[in-house]
Structures are given as structure tokens and as C-alpha cells.
Amino acid sequence: MPDSVQTSADLRARVAELESERELTLRLAQTDSLTGLVNRGAFTAALCERLEAARAAQARVALFVVDLDRFKHLNDTLGHHAGDLFLAEVGERLRADAAPGELVARLGGDEFAVISPVAEAGPAAPARRAQRLLDLLTQPHAIYGRQVSPGASVGVAVYPDDAPDAGDLQRFADMALYRVKTQGGRRWSAFDAELRAENTRRRTLEAELRRAIPAGEIEPWFQPVVDARDGRIVGVEVLARWRHPEQGLLAPAAFVPMAEELGLIGRIDEAVFEAGCARTAPWVEAGLIETVAFNVSPRDLLDPGFSRKLIGRLGKTALPATALTVEITETFLLQDLALSRRHIERLTAKGVSIALDDFGTGYSNLRALMHLPIQTVKLDRSLICDVAKDGRVAKLVASMLHAARALGVRIVAEGVEEEAQAIFLRSAGCDRMQGYFFARPMPAADMEAQLRVSHAETPRVFDAAPTRRRARA
Ligand code: C2E
Ligand code: CA
Ligand code: CA
């Protein structure tokens, strides 16, 4: 049986083979396959190591994060293959230009990073290096015979001047980059006093938000949704507000984006859902309204367990499933169609309705409506605000309403602020409306009072726009 008899030489050869395989696997795991540069995972580890070494040597290290400005445009116009070629070229330029001791990485997409030891004191050396990176990346490159130059933006932060560790250093360089991007790109920016103040403000807000959720400071407000034919309130949309102990009432724009970034949005949505259901269930029970709509973050929807958990939570409330509408945005549908379908089907099987929110801002994919059991579309405010002023927008909205009717989908127009808009929408066959013309979002007690009043009254057409509420949006 020669097979089972292995000499020690065989064994040694096999071990060496395994060793080199392991090394290769390890190297591949650390390398970005397109550019051959270090990938994000290995970059993070390398940054920590280098800062450790710098701490011991009392040295400075600059981190440059680089983002191509118009890469998406290049990708869209010349195709993904051209995009890949360009990214490989950028990787090559960065590698060729790197000084000894520098580390270049591709963090993903069109984002790169350079870790660079700083030999001299003061801000001049990182500034020169940042400018060189920009110069390097604005030089055009020929792809398919065309000269392309998407340009780049760079953010810089320096250890230990700006940040004491890798996490902060990366965040601060990102903040500097983000500021450049929002100001039009094609520049570099260093982390500075303004960004430090912004960082402190955000950290404070973060700590406060973490405390606010269990403390019950996030509360549901309610905005009526009216029947377009007679102005009668038929439902409400539940909107989150933060009753901040010092800053007063905060609208979602002040905390939802941060909550999404911090992974706290799920807990906010839960809190709003629980309290919102408790307030609205009696209104539904009393026949004051038919539907209650909640917003969910696209982040939540990416959780495969989202719909099951929501059904579980709904079961603990007194709100009937048939009164519940879940508002989701189209962007999410496009992100993961299979997962959205599963959520939507699971929810509709229980009698819950789905509304497509902010319709008209993105791709406005009517196909999604044909292939998914979506009962309601919410036309975005940006369309509604011009509907009575701009004939083309009016035509567009009218044709959207027409298409929706043909598909058997209900249309809610959002952001109706003027009577002229309401009149147009009604004549064009819109089913439901929502907006400041009818009522601003308001706290539960005000909403309840208004529901009781309007329920007792005979509905009137549009002149039922209530007096301006105390409540602010
Ligand atoms: P949205 O879902 O599109 O909600 C409608 C927004 O338009 C609300 O802003 C509402 O106050 C505002 N609005 C209603 N009518 C009018 C009008 O006639 N004119 C104008 N200018 N605005 C009007 P709000 O309450 O500030 O909420 C902003 C966004 O925050 C919401 O947009 C929604 O995307 C998000 N949001 C609100 N509550 C929640 C929540 O509980 N969870 C999650 N994940 N997101 C929420
Ligand atoms: Ca909404
Ligand atoms: Ca909306």
C-alpha cells in the first residue's frame, strides 16, 4: 500500500505547499483585485499598526482620503469596463507616486487612501502632499481614445495633531473630504477648527439621541390625509419628533440622518410605531380614521427579519392590520428587489398596505407597481408645488394619475399647500391629499380634537382648511 506510506520528505513538501497556499490566500484577502492595492480591511489594520509605531516613535502620520469627483458620470457614459480601467489607472498612478514608507489603499468604489509619514513639523508637508495627489489625479487619461479626467477631492487628517487614534483619524479625514465634496470638489481640505466644532456637536447629539430614545423623548406627531373629493380626514401619517430638553421640538431632518448613520433608526421607528399605534388605535376603532401610515427607514428594510418583527409588534397593539400602511421609498425597492418583494408579500398577506413614498423624486419606476402588491403611491411635494404653475408638471402629474388609476393604485398627493393645487389634483382624479393647506403635523391631543370636530361636522369641500395650528412642522 504505497499510498498510505508517506516519507517525511513528502510531508515537508506538503507542509510547504500549504504554507504558500495560506500566504497566497492571505495576500489575496488583503488585496483589491482591480487595482492590486491594499483593500479596506487590510488598510484599517495597517493604519492601526502605523499609528502604534508612530506613538512609540513620537512621529506624525497623515491620512489622505481621496474620492473621484465625477466617476459615476464616467461609469454611466462610458460603461463599467471603462470605469474599471480608469480605477486601475488611478491605482497605478497612486502606487507609482507613493514615497517610501507610504501605504496606498483602495477603500472601495472610487475611494482611495494614502497613509503617509510626516517628517517635518507644521502643516506644510501634508498640504504639499495633498496638492500633489490632486495634481496627479486631474491629469487626463485616455480610455477608448477619449481623454477623461473626472477630477478628485482629498480630505486630510494628521496624527496626533488632529486625532489620537485610527478611528478618529479616519472619521476626521472623511469629514474634511465630505466638506470639499459638498462644496463642489476638485480641492483638498484639512481637518480644522470648524470641523472639530462640528464633530463635537455631532458627538453631543449622538449621546443625547442614545439617551432620548429610552427616555421617551421621541414622540409621534400626526398629519391628516384627506379624501380629495370632499376634504374629509380619512387617515393620518405618523411623523417622528424629538422633544429635546434644551433645543425644543426637533424635526426628523435634525436627527433621522444621524440615527441612520449610527444604526439607531430602527429603535426610533419602533418607538414611533409603538406610541403611534397606541394613540391611533382608538381613532380607528371609533371610525374617525381608516388608515394610519408609518415611515420606515430603508436601513430597516435591509434586515431580512423586518416584516416578521413588524407583524409581531403590530400584534401587541390594538391597531388592526388592515388600518396599517407602511411607507417605503423607491430607492429601497431598487436596492434589493427580492428582499422588498418578500417583505411586501409578507405584510400584505396580513392585510397591511404598502405605500410607495416620495414618488417622482427618483426613477419613478411604474414597473415596480405592476409587479409588486403596492396599493398606494405618494406623489412627492416637489411635483405638487409646481402643479398649478407649470403646465408641463400639470401634464406629467395628470398622466401619472391616469397610469396609477389604470393600475388600480391609489394616489396620495403630498405637500399640498394651496387651494389651486388641491383643485387641480381633484379634477385630475387624485384620491387623497396631504399638506399644509389642510393641516400641519400636530401632536396627538390636537389631532384627536380635530378628528372629533371634523367627524361631527358635515364635510365641506376644501374650505375646510383648518386655521393654522399652533404646531410647527
Ligand atoms: P415624508 O415621509 O415625505 O413626510 C412628509 C414630510 O413633509 C413631513 O416632514 C411633513 O411635515 C412635510 N410636509 C407635509 N405637508 C407639507 C406641506 O404642505 N409643505 C411642506 N413644505 N412640507 C410638508 P417631516 O415631518 O419633517 O419629516 C421629514 C421626513 O422624515 C419624512 O418625509 C420621512 O422621510 C422622515 N420621517 C419622519 N418620521 C419618520 C419616522 O418615524 N421614521 C423614519 N424612518 N423616518 C421618518
Ligand atoms: Ca412618508
Ligand atoms: Ca414623502
Side-chain angles (χ1 to χ4, degrees), residues 237-239 293-296 326-329 355-358 378 414 434:
E237 177 173 2
V238 186
L239 295 159
F294 289 91
N295 293 284
V296 290
V326 173
E327 297 195 353
I328 64 179
T329 59
L356 206 51
D357 207 352
D358 305 339
K378 299 194 76 174
E414 287 191 301
Q434 180 182 349

Side-chain angles (χ1 to χ4, degrees), residues 176-389:
L177 173 66
Y178 181 75
R179 184 175 57 186
V180 172
K181 291 293 255 189
T182 53
Q183 293 170 352
R186 291 191 173 254
R187 284 192 311 112
W188 66 270
S189 163
F191 184 74
D192 58 14
E194 180 191 312
L195 289 176
R196 186 174 298 286
E198 156 81 8
N199 181 59
T200 310
R201 204 185 55 77
R202 286 172 58 93
R203 288 305 116 202
T204 314
L205 199 65
E206 175 185 342
E208 286 172 347
L209 189 57
R210 289 189 191 280
R211 180 194 46 73
I213 302 169
E217 288 173 18
I218 307 294
E219 58 183 63
W221 278 38
F222 305 85
Q223 186 178 32
V225 176
V226 306
D227 188 317
R229 288 164 305 178
D230 53 16
R232 190 173 50 97
I233 300 175
V234 284
V236 291
E237 177 173 2
V238 186
L239 295 159
R241 292 293 180 269
W242 177 4
R243 197 170 287 282
H244 191 284
E246 286 122 41
Q247 298 180 40
L249 199 71
L250 299 179
F255 62 94
V256 164
M258 167 175 277
E260 287 187 326
E261 205 178 289
L262 296 171
L264 293 173
I265 190 67
R267 288 171 55 202
I268 290 182
D269 285 354
E270 265 176 59
V272 171
F273 184 74
E274 203 174 294
C277 287
R279 297 309 300 238
T280 53
W283 305 342
V284 173
E285 164 81 30
L288 299 176
I289 50 168
E290 295 156 21
T291 56
V292 181
F294 289 91
N295 293 284
V296 290
S297 158
R299 287 262 169 143
D300 290 349
L301 290 158
L302 288 172
D303 170 7
F306 163 76
S307 39
R308 245 185 309 102
K309 289 182 209 162
L310 187 74
I311 290 164
R313 282 205 298 276
L314 178 66
K316 296 201 188 95
T317 77
L319 190 76
T322 48
L324 175 65
T325 298
V326 173
E327 297 195 353
I328 64 179
T329 59
E330 195 177 22
T331 7
F332 165 69
L333 285 187
L334 297 173
Q335 261 178 47
D336 192 335
L337 198 62
L339 184 59
S340 6
R341 174 181 294 279
R342 239 182 302 142
H343 286 323
I344 291 172
E345 286 177 348
R346 225 182 257 151
L347 288 167
T348 46
K350 292 285 174 197
V352 176
S353 301
I354 307 295
L356 206 51
D357 207 352
D358 305 339
F359 197 75
T361 50
Y363 293 87
S364 302
N365 186 354
L366 283 165
R367 275 172 61 87
L369 299 176
M370 284 191 282
H371 298 296
L372 292 168
I374 289 173
Q375 298 83 353
T376 303
V377 163
K378 299 194 76 174
L379 282 190
D380 192 66
R381 191 173 82 223
S382 55
L383 282 173
I384 305 306
C385 70
D386 289 334
V387 98
K389 277 189 265 158

Side-chain angles (χ1 to χ4, degrees), residues 62-65 126-127 130 154-158 162 169 172-173 176-177 188-191:
L63 171 64
F64 302 87
V65 286
V154 177
V156 194
V158 178
D162 298 325
L169 192 67
F172 293 172
L177 173 66
W188 66 270
S189 163
F191 184 74

